[in-house]
Amino acid sequence: MQAGGRASGIAAAMRGRVSSPDRSLLARCLPPRARLGRMAPTLFAIAAALHSPAAASAPLTASATIDAQAPGVRIAPEVYGQFSEQLGRGITDGIWVGEDSSIPNINGYRKDVVEALKDLHVPVLRWPGGCYADTYRWRDGIGPRAQRPVTLNKWWGNNEEHNAFGTHEYFNFAELIGTKTYLGINMGTATAGDAKDWVEYVTSPTGSALAQLRRANGRERPWKVDYAGIGNESWGCGGNLTAAQYAPLMRMFGTFVRQDGGPEIVSVGPSAGDYGWTEEIMKAHDQFNELSLHYYTLPTGDWSHHGAATGFSKAEWFSTFAQTRQMDELIARHSLIMDKADPAKKVGLAVDEWGTWYDTPPGAPALWQANTLRDALVAATNFNIFHRHADRVRIANIAQMVNVLQAVILTDGAKMVRTPTYYAFWMYRPFQGASALPVTIDSPMETAGASSVPAIDVTAARAPDGALYVGIVNIDPDRNATVDLGVAVKGARKITSQVLTGAKMDSQNPFDASEQVRPAAFRGATWAADNRLHVDMPAKSIVVLAIK
């Protein structure tokens, strides 16, 4: 992993009207074009010019119209995917503790983590990286664990890796939690032959030497590789290549990795707003199935000082949402470029690294950060964006699953907590595989100096069983909101709903106390005349409605 964001303004997506689904590491790893431009620190600085106390006390009013009769565009379940890289305590201690651990486990996998992830319906899991993928040699992670070599993790402190979690552990874990597999192929320090051998080892039902080696290592039946990423961030930690240098390598590796029945090939795509990379790679669009996009939300927009995970100001709260809303513009502009080469939209966009990235506290494990209510609202905001672009966005993988960056789960020894981000994913589960419907939104704006973002965001989708789901986000930290929804649905009147909020902007779920941020029953939605639904929701909250 890692890619930065480009703060070039909020653009059309920020002007308060959104039509949906139609659109009418580390700093040293980054090439200069991937770093935030001069405007990025300004975006944080100007956020200090916020509402007056009098304005803050007034309730918000917004409206939205949902075209419930539209056919809609299917939301790929994989949009709710996860990412787990070998760094910090993301895998070791977070997912894997070993069979001999005193922590309750299932064949070495933490039982509490497995159960929590099953509840989340994880659709796809990306592994082993990230930057780590382009130095990972798959043969180091097979065979008896006591005999596996100790290697160094170049990207994350040159830490020793004992390779206890390797190919078998990953694929067995994917089976255990019921998720598809997304394998990061080493294109940086390995050969196309190595890549071909790895896929054969994993997937071959034959009597080949590699298939027999897999059987000797304990797995009779082959696994399936659903997605294969050809390298990672090849413009940065994956080799510092240009798009013109990467494209022929992608074509070659893809040729040897591809086989009948899969996997789907994911090409390295741009860092944030590098539109030139997309132009170049799309010349070879017939050679891959998805193009990746990496974008991280930094409150400050400054890779030298990201911002704090807790104890932040309202200025930093608003700047965080201004930064994350740029995802809408990035997807829209990259999609327009893709449309020119691929008007049939055969190639999907894989936002396979996204999420918040704060400064790691002193003494904490690599890329560990607290997870708060702000992160849950950021997650829901991005879900809504992905729904608006369901015609292109077919995979997304939050960084990362456990103990790293915007994790859905945190562990500390035998303790485990579901983070506010976890509950955002949990509440949005009904959107997996539903059809995104067009939504027109009129929202008041949250003003931060010269920039502004909508206070209210709305998404809607029809599930295969006919139920209508609506997700609403209110980012105002102080003011409740009344949202007037126009929903023309025949005969549907029964509403079940949930809300996620907290007492403070940085409310979190601590290890040694009850959860401060968890879903609760919501009774603020009532029917009015003319198929209109009034939703009275709290400040800084997410509401998901089910209308049947």
Side-chain angles (χ1 to χ4, degrees):
M1 48 181 296
Q2 182 286 64
R6 185 187 59 85
S8 61
I10 307 306
M14 299 290 180
R15 293 177 188 145
R17 266 187 141 16
V18 181
S19 255
S20 120
D22 297 325
R23 45 185 183 314
S24 312
L25 283 220
L26 297 173
R28 69 175 184 267
C29 297
L30 294 170
R33 65 175 177 272
R35 301 184 184 180
L36 291 157
R38 289 175 295 176
M39 290 185 65
T42 305
L43 188 59
F44 171 60
I46 62 180
L50 295 169
H51 315 282
S52 67
S57 63
L60 295 170
T61 58
S63 65
T65 301
I66 299 167
D67 185 357
Q69 307 309 313
V73 179
R74 182 175 182 269
I75 300 167
E78 292 79 10
V79 162
Y80 289 88
Q82 303 279 328
F83 170 36
S84 194
E85 182 171 358
Q86 185 65 45
L87 70 93
R89 293 192 297 110
I91 293 177
T92 304
D93 298 333
I95 293 172
W96 176 260
V97 291
E99 295 96 327
D100 298 330
S101 174
S102 60
I103 297 173
N105 66 85
I106 304 170
N107 299 323
Y109 308 102
R110 291 185 63 122
K111 187 172 184 291
D112 52 2
V113 170
V114 168
E115 291 174 348
L117 292 173
K118 283 183 176 180
D119 287 345
L120 212 55
H121 301 172
V122 178
V124 61
L125 175 61
R126 181 175 180 242
W127 174 87
C131 291
Y132 185 67
D134 275 313
T135 58
Y136 181 68
R137 296 186 179 274
W138 69 271
R139 290 179 183 270
D140 293 341
I142 62 172
R145 294 191 195 96
Q147 298 176 20
R148 296 180 189 178
V150 176
T151 56
L152 296 181
N153 190 332
K154 168 181 171 60
W155 297 113
W156 307 113
N158 256 358
N159 291 332
E160 291 184 358
E161 299 292 351
H162 292 256
N163 290 293
F165 192 94
T167 297
H168 287 249
E169 289 75 19
Y170 165 68
F171 280 94
N172 286 337
F173 180 62
E175 282 190 342
L176 191 59
I177 65 173
T179 188
K180 289 184 178 180
T181 58
Y182 180 176
L183 209 56
I185 300 294
N186 182 347
M187 198 194 77
T189 60
T191 67
D194 294 325
K196 187 273 297 180
D197 286 351
W198 195 10
V199 174
E200 180 182 330
Y201 177 90
V202 170
T203 65
S204 179
T206 70
S208 73
L210 286 168
Q212 295 288 41
L213 179 59
R214 182 194 69 238
R215 296 185 179 99
N217 287 329
R219 175 71 182 197
E220 173 62 33
R221 293 180 296 108
W223 293 287
K224 182 180 181 183
V225 180
D226 294 290
Y227 302 93
I230 307 300
N232 170 78
E233 295 189 359
S234 298
W235 36 260
C237 63
N240 280 312
L241 303 176
T242 66
Q245 291 170 327
Y246 168 77
L249 292 173
M250 178 271 295
R251 295 171 69 100
M252 179 176 69
F253 271 71
T255 298
F256 291 104
V257 168
R258 188 181 293 108
Q259 54 187 316
D260 291 340
E264 293 194 15
I265 301 299
V266 183
S267 170
V268 169
S271 167
D274 187 353
Y275 302 108
W277 182 282
T278 299
E279 291 267 14
E280 182 64 31
I281 299 301
M282 284 302 293
K283 294 175 182 177
H285 66 88
D286 60 332
Q287 298 296 309
F288 56 90
N289 304 97
E290 282 86 24
L291 181 73
S292 74
L293 169 65
H294 291 182
Y295 177 70
Y296 286 91
T297 297
L298 280 62
T300 64
D302 181 356
W303 282 100
S304 65
H305 171 59
H306 303 181
T310 60
F312 47 82
S313 66
K314 287 183 184 178
E316 210 158 339
W317 167 278
F318 281 108
S319 67
T320 302
F321 288 100
Q323 293 285 351
T324 211
R325 285 293 295 243
Q326 288 193 68
M327 180 72 82
D328 212 338
E329 176 190 356
L330 291 169
I331 294 174
R333 292 185 63 181
H334 284 295
S335 295
L336 286 173
I337 296 169
M338 295 173 74
D339 288 347
K340 294 177 182 177
D342 174 35
K345 300 183 187 294
K346 294 181 179 179
V347 175
L349 195 61
V351 188
D352 55 15
E353 289 189 27
W354 69 274
T356 53
W357 192 322
Y358 309 124
D359 295 319
T360 302
L367 301 192
W368 184 93
Q369 62 189 38
N371 195 284
T372 71
L373 177 63
R374 175 177 61 168
D375 296 289
L377 269 64
V378 165
T381 298
N382 280 276
F383 299 155
N384 292 1
I385 292 169
F386 298 152
H387 295 176
R388 282 195 271 279
H389 300 279
D391 59 341
R392 275 290 182 193
V393 179
R394 304 197 191 136
I395 307 175
N397 306 82
I398 194 169
Q400 295 189 6
M401 180 178 270
V402 185
N403 288 335
V404 175
L405 296 179
Q406 193 178 347
V408 300
I409 290 171
L410 296 177
T411 67
D412 182 12
K415 302 172 185 176
M416 184 211 78
V417 294
R418 294 169 173 84
T419 69
T421 295
Y422 175 97
Y423 285 120
F425 272 85
W426 190 88
M427 289 175 66
Y428 270 68
R429 289 177 305 169
F431 289 96
Q432 293 189 24
S435 295
L437 299 172
V439 181
T440 302
I441 308 165
D442 282 309
S443 170
M445 306 301 287
E446 300 287 5
T447 302
S451 298
S452 58
V453 293
I456 304 299
D457 193 21
V458 182
T459 190
R462 185 188 303 105
D465 65 359
L468 180 69
Y469 290 92
V470 181
I472 313 173
V473 181
N474 175 12
I475 68 167
D476 193 290
D478 302 310
R479 294 183 288 177
N480 296 346
T482 296
V483 184
D484 184 63
L485 294 177
V487 189
V489 285
K490 296 180 180 178
R493 285 298 187 195
K494 183 180 178 181
I495 303 171
T496 57
S497 51
Q498 292 184 314
V499 62
L500 187 72
T501 189
K504 302 183 297 181
M505 293 186 295
D506 62 351
S507 291
Q508 55 186 300
N509 294 336
F511 287 105
D512 297 315
S514 59
E515 293 179 324
Q516 297 179 19
V517 184
R518 64 173 296 128
F522 178 70
R523 296 178 178 85
T526 56
W527 284 107
D530 301 325
N531 288 313
R532 300 205 73 81
L533 188 61
H534 290 294
V535 182
D536 294 313
M537 62 190 299
K540 55 185 183 304
S541 69
I542 304 166
V543 167
V544 173
L545 309 172
I547 305 172
K548 300 181 180 179

